[in-house]
Amino acid sequence: MKNIKEFRQAYLQTPWRKQMQVVGVFLLCLLIPTLVTSIYLNVTVRAAASGREILLMQDEIETYELENADLQTQLGIVTSAAEMEKKAEDLGFQRIQQGDALYLVVPGYTPRQSVTIAPPPKSIKTITIAMPPDFSQSLIDLVKQKIQIEALSTKGTAR
Amino acid sequence: MNNENVWRYTLLGAIFSLLGFLVLGKLVSFQLDPESKKQFVEEQDKYSGGWHTVYPARGQITDRWGHLMAGNVTMYEVGVNLEHVKNPHTIALTLNVILGLDYAEIMKSIENPPQGLVYLVLDDYVSKADLERLQKYKDEIGNTYGAITGKDAPSLDGLTWVPKLQRIYPEKSLASNLLGFVGRDDSGKIKGYFGVEANYDDLLAGVPVTVWIPNDPNRVEKLPTVPEGTSLVLTIDREIQRSMEDIVDASLDETGAKSATIVVLDPKTGEILAMATTPRLDLNKYWNYVEIFRDSTPFNRGVSEAYEPGSVYKVLTMAAALDKGVVKPQTEFIDTGKIEVGGAEIYNWNSGVWGPQTMIGCMQHSLNVCLAWIATQVGAKDFYSYMKAFGIGHLTGVDLAGEVAGRLKIPGDTDWYDAELGTNSFGQGVSTTPLQMATAVSAIANKGKMMYPHIVRSIISNGHQYDTEPRVLSIPLSEETAVTLTDMLAESLEKEASDALVEGYRVAGKTGTGEIPTPYGYTSDVTNTSFVGWGPVDDPSFVVYIWLEKPLTSIWGSEVAAPIFPRIVNKLVVLMNIPPDDVRYELYGQ
């Protein structure tokens, strides 16, 4: 009891200690929101950047789809019947007539099959496209994940 | 604190508190009042993003080997954002030079836009090449005059463009009557017209999806997958189609016919290998449709125009009689040159008397009297039952838009008379489309089974290909009858030394000459001439139907339609890899 009184007396006699305490509490109050705000801002900026990137990628996909359609059509035009016939004639070919054909038995020959553009429905394989966790995880989840990754990488490098 | 200032601080505090309470009160009232809440949400939505409709690319159409028949190409809609326009003169002048638009009209549109409009469409379906020139010029203007301010500084600010897909047909007019085209209806909606484009319009177009695109990147969500429109693989062979169209055009030139139509079917599957007719349209210039198809001209005569086929119909009459067992190939009929059926007198095509004839002779000489007699032996009830089983008077159900059913009057109809049995037996008083006749005859070529005629071989949807399976439409006669009749018709062609015979291949077939009904009776000076044939008779791979409307060089099918058949077959056997009969037998033996 005597010791406590002595300690209190000593504390009262040095006011800078009390000022330090006030400053300390103030800084603590300032630091915590700043820290939280910084983390929040960081995550928000990253999310916004990802969102923007997605928008740009969607635009890019649309552009590629249009280009793809154009290229397919271009291919269709340059291989159209009239174009192919013209090219063949330019190369010196001529249309075969009924009497010109020579028929031979070719073992293992399979007649021309009509086009297969896509696989038949039997071969359907379910592919689940998972949404990246960035879209659904909370801030706490993110921190947990980072800590786990950090812990794992530390383990991995320890001897 | 100075006591004199206490009241000031108190007053300020009260004012700020009151303001705070007012703001708080208003916030609470917004939350409680649904109307205010709705209004605020609407206002928020207006600025937080926009609705965007994603139109799937229209499905492609290819022939059976994958050659593109209908695809898509990028075109551009050019417009202006009115609030960003700095110099309308530059925009009008640029569009006048590059796109050929009217300068005055553009100036008028930009300077006096309709009230409340922020975006104005100036041109649509601008080609990629033109747009690249526009882009290049816009960049040059921006680089050169971008730094200059002032009302008169050249500027293309506000000029903008949006890409979109437009239908294109790489083969132009090839198979146009089968494909149809894509245009816009009265409401401006994109729509398929005629043929496959119309019949499969919903599938090809796909389902547009409207999504909300937020401006706030934090609220961006994955766009829903908008599957492309369904693509189609047709049964037609581009090369066969092209050859048939060449023959159709040549036959018009040679015979002076009003129109010509050729249908080629695979009798075993019902697949349409080719359907060529006139007139045809460059589908990339579909707006010429009205000019080309005048006076209600059908887009595809193969399915949309019914006519009285004449003697090719005798094939069906003979099939019914053989199948019912009332005649056999060697049954003898004594032709007296005239027969009365239902009070009407029927004569042969040349009004001649042909004397004793077998059934093969009746077909060889195409004797109306003989066939009318056969129909009476079958009896009206069974005759019409057979005709219905052959699909006469009914739609075949082919997957092409605009099919008509033709007309088969049957006992019980108010306009059917007993005499119809006689005239129907040789293809008068009954109307059919070329496809109906080809389908009916394909039953004989396919050992009694009539297959459902179809144009789509496969459907490609959501990344998977679904092949259509051949379906039996009807079995109007037995295999034995079909084989017997095929042999009879091959023999009749050979005995007649017909122009339809094909060197190296045994084929079966029948000519037809049909008089044309008018409000004043039947015409004899102008006719519809036809030929139906199939081969090789031991294993038929094709059925060919030919129709020449009102040829000028001859009124007889045997003289104008029959000679076209070997030309067609000579093309088909090459394109379908069918060796001559002797070679085939030799190859089978190895």
Side-chain angles (χ1 to χ4, degrees):
Chain A
M1 195 63 166
K2 189 185 173 188
N3 288 343
I4 291 171
K5 275 183 181 176
E6 281 173 1
F7 179 75
R8 191 165 171 270
Q9 184 62 30
Y11 184 80
L12 288 173
Q13 283 173 347
T14 50
W16 61 270
R17 288 178 190 243
K18 192 165 186 178
Q19 285 164 1
M20 282 293 287
Q21 191 183 30
V22 171
V23 170
V25 169
F26 176 75
L27 286 177
L28 195 67
C29 290
L30 197 66
L31 187 70
I32 291 172
T34 308
L35 195 68
V36 170
T37 309
S38 307
I39 294 171
Y40 179 77
L41 274 176
N42 181 275
V43 172
T44 306
V45 166
R46 283 169 57 193
S50 299
R52 185 70 197 149
E53 210 174 327
I54 290 168
L55 282 176
L56 291 174
M57 283 165 80
Q58 279 168 351
D59 280 350
E60 214 174 334
I61 289 169
E62 270 182 39
T63 308
Y64 284 135
E65 279 173 352
L66 293 175
E67 264 180 41
N68 197 24
D70 283 349
L71 287 171
Q72 283 179 342
T73 301
Q74 197 59 37
L75 190 64
I77 291 168
V78 297
T79 58
S80 66
E83 286 290 321
M84 292 303 282
E85 184 166 12
K86 191 173 168 293
K87 281 174 196 165
E89 280 171 1
D90 290 347
L91 289 168
F93 290 98
Q94 56 186 2
R95 278 183 176 272
I96 185 173
Q97 299 304 315
Q98 187 249 309
D100 300 339
L102 178 67
Y103 294 92
L104 299 169
V105 174
V106 179
Y109 169 77
T110 49
R112 190 182 179 192
Q113 300 295 310
S114 77
V115 68
T116 301
I117 293 174
K122 276 179 189 172
S123 63
I124 291 176
K125 283 180 185 169
T126 310
I127 301 166
T128 310
I129 301 167
M131 189 185 274
D134 304 21
F135 289 89
S136 54
Q137 68 185 174
S138 68
L139 193 59
I140 296 168
D141 293 337
L142 178 72
V143 173
K144 269 187 190 170
Q145 190 193 16
K146 293 281 177 195
I147 292 168
Q148 279 170 357
I149 291 169
E150 190 62 31
L152 283 173
S153 64
T154 314
K155 267 185 193 174
T157 53
R159 290 188 179 181
Chain B
M1 191 183 291
N2 190 343
N3 284 343
E4 284 178 10
N5 292 331
V6 168
W7 69 272
R8 287 194 179 92
Y9 293 127
T10 311
L11 186 64
L12 270 176
I15 289 170
F16 280 115
S17 302
L18 188 65
L19 283 174
F21 278 116
L22 278 175
V23 170
L24 199 66
K26 196 67 189 169
L27 283 174
V28 170
S29 81
F30 283 147
Q31 293 298 318
L32 295 178
D33 179 12
E35 278 303 311
S36 302
K37 191 176 173 183
K38 193 178 159 196
Q39 193 186 338
F40 267 83
V41 170
E42 279 173 7
E43 283 293 312
Q44 177 206 328
D45 285 349
K46 203 185 286 180
Y47 297 103
S48 60
W51 289 101
H52 178 61
T53 304
V54 184
Y55 289 96
R58 196 173 174 88
Q60 294 181 338
I61 303 174
T62 70
D63 81 339
R64 66 189 297 126
W65 309 119
H67 298 118
L68 191 68
M69 307 297 287
N72 302 300
V73 70
T74 310
M75 302 294 261
Y76 295 85
E77 176 190 287
V78 174
V80 281
N81 283 324
L82 292 168
E83 55 186 12
H84 296 140
V85 172
K86 286 182 183 165
N87 190 335
H89 164 72
T90 319
I91 293 176
L93 194 63
T94 305
L95 295 184
N96 174 260
V97 172
I98 295 178
L99 302 182
L101 302 183
D102 187 78
Y103 173 86
E105 255 184 46
I106 298 171
M107 283 297 284
K108 193 178 156 196
S109 304
I110 298 176
E111 288 181 332
N112 304 301
Q115 192 71 29
L117 210 66
V118 291
Y119 175 77
L120 197 66
V121 177
L122 297 176
D123 199 11
D124 209 352
Y125 296 107
V126 174
S127 71
K128 201 171 183 178
D130 282 344
L131 197 97
E132 278 169 2
R133 287 172 63 207
L134 202 58
Q135 172 79 66
K136 197 178 165 193
Y137 191 63
K138 192 180 179 185
D139 292 345
E140 280 174 16
I141 290 275
N143 293 336
T144 314
Y145 303 103
I148 302 172
T149 53
K151 196 183 161 192
D152 295 330
S155 167
L156 287 177
D157 284 1
L159 186 66
T160 183
W161 43 80
V162 184
K164 56 165 77 171
L165 289 172
Q166 194 204 0
R167 203 57 155 166
I168 190 167
Y169 302 90
E171 301 286 354
K172 296 174 185 171
S173 67
L174 184 72
S176 59
N177 310 82
L178 287 167
L179 293 172
F181 57 83
V182 175
R184 286 176 185 270
D185 64 11
D186 294 338
S187 65
K189 192 184 158 211
I190 290 171
K191 187 183 166 192
Y193 291 89
F194 305 109
V196 174
E197 292 278 22
N199 201 66
Y200 288 94
D201 192 30
D202 289 344
L203 278 178
L204 288 163
V207 183
V209 177
T210 303
V211 289
W212 174 257
I213 306 280
N215 291 331
D216 179 1
N218 284 309
R219 291 173 59 197
V220 168
E221 287 178 16
K222 187 174 178 288
L223 273 183
T225 308
V226 183
E228 280 189 2
T230 300
S231 290
L232 304 175
V233 177
L234 302 185
T235 56
I236 61 165
D237 178 317
R238 183 179 75 172
E239 295 302 327
I240 295 178
Q241 179 70 27
R242 189 152 186 254
S243 298
M244 296 308 111
E245 289 184 2
D246 288 347
I247 291 173
V248 156
D249 293 345
S251 64
L252 277 191
D253 289 344
E254 291 162 13
T255 64
K258 185 186 169 195
S259 74
T261 303
I262 296 172
V263 177
V264 184
L265 283 183
D266 179 344
K268 290 171 189 159
T269 60
E271 289 180 349
I272 297 169
L273 299 175
M275 189 184 282
T277 186
T278 53
R280 291 189 298 279
L281 171 72
D282 179 348
L283 298 172
N284 297 317
K285 297 173 185 169
Y286 65 86
W287 45 88
N288 292 332
Y289 163 75
V290 180
E291 201 179 314
I292 293 171
F293 292 85
R294 284 181 181 166
D295 304 327
S296 308
T297 302
F299 193 76
N300 181 354
R301 292 178 197 272
V303 294
S304 302
E305 187 162 12
Y307 75 108
E308 296 194 13
S311 297
V312 284
Y313 200 82
K314 287 173 181 165
V315 175
L316 306 185
T317 304
M318 184 61 78
L322 288 171
D323 199 62
K324 196 183 173 191
V326 294
V327 294
K328 287 188 165 40
Q330 298 307 323
T331 300
E332 194 173 83
F333 172 74
I334 298 171
D335 185 279
T336 57
K338 188 174 88 173
I339 189 170
E340 189 181 310
V341 180
E345 289 183 346
I346 290 167
Y347 300 90
N348 287 319
W349 57 273
N350 63 347
S351 305
V353 179
W354 290 78
Q357 295 288 334
T358 63
M359 292 300 108
I360 296 171
C362 287
M363 295 302 277
Q364 179 189 336
H365 304 301
S366 197
L367 303 179
N368 296 345
V369 173
C370 176
L371 269 293
W373 171 77
I374 288 171
T376 60
Q377 298 306 297
V378 175
K381 190 183 163 205
D382 286 344
F383 177 80
Y384 288 105
S385 292
Y386 273 106
M387 294 310 120
K388 282 200 261 181
F390 276 116
I392 305 301
H394 297 283
L395 297 172
T396 63
V398 68
D399 41 352
L400 286 167
E403 187 188 16
V404 297
R407 177 82 202 277
L408 174 70
K409 288 181 270 184
I410 55 171
D413 288 350
T414 51
D415 54 351
W416 184 87
Y417 303 99
D418 291 341
E420 304 278 353
L421 180 63
T423 55
N424 287 175
S425 69
F426 52 89
Q428 298 283 177
V430 55
S431 65
T432 66
T433 64
L435 182 68
Q436 269 180 324
M437 279 304 295
T439 306
V441 170
S442 73
I444 300 161
N446 190 36
K447 298 175 181 172
K449 285 183 187 165
M450 190 166 86
M451 306 305 287
Y452 161 68
H454 58 283
I455 189 75
V456 168
R457 196 172 196 286
S458 307
I459 288 173
I460 292 105
S461 179
N462 293 322
H464 296 287
Q465 181 161 333
Y466 302 85
D467 294 336
T468 53
E469 294 297 324
R471 282 190 287 139
V472 177
L473 192 60
S474 164
I475 306 179
L477 71 168
S478 68
E479 182 178 341
E480 189 189 346
T481 305
V483 171
T484 304
L485 183 54
T486 297
D487 203 48
M488 278 174 71
L489 291 171
E491 195 177 330
S492 72
L493 282 187
E494 287 156 1
K495 281 186 173 171
E496 193 191 355
S498 167
D499 287 340
L501 290 171
V502 184
E503 196 182 336
Y505 297 85
R506 190 160 191 250
V507 291
K510 177 77 189 79
T511 56
T513 304
E515 293 182 340
I516 300 171
T518 70
Y520 315 104
Y522 280 89
T523 63
S524 289
D525 50 344
V526 285
T527 56
N528 279 313
T529 59
S530 311
F531 185 87
V532 65
W534 61 98
V537 291
D538 60 311
D539 183 21
S541 302
F542 53 81
V543 168
V544 175
Y545 192 86
I546 304 161
W547 169 33
L548 291 176
E549 184 184 8
K550 300 178 183 173
L552 299 178
T553 50
S554 166
I555 61 165
W556 302 111
S558 57
E559 291 175 5
V560 286
I564 296 171
F565 182 66
R567 284 155 65 180
I568 292 172
V569 175
N570 282 332
K571 292 282 181 191
L572 288 178
V573 293
V574 170
L575 294 168
M576 295 174 74
N577 285 328
I578 304 170
D581 292 344
D582 54 346
V583 177
R584 264 185 315 120
Y585 299 144
E586 199 181 316
L587 295 177
Y588 288 157
Q590 287 181 24

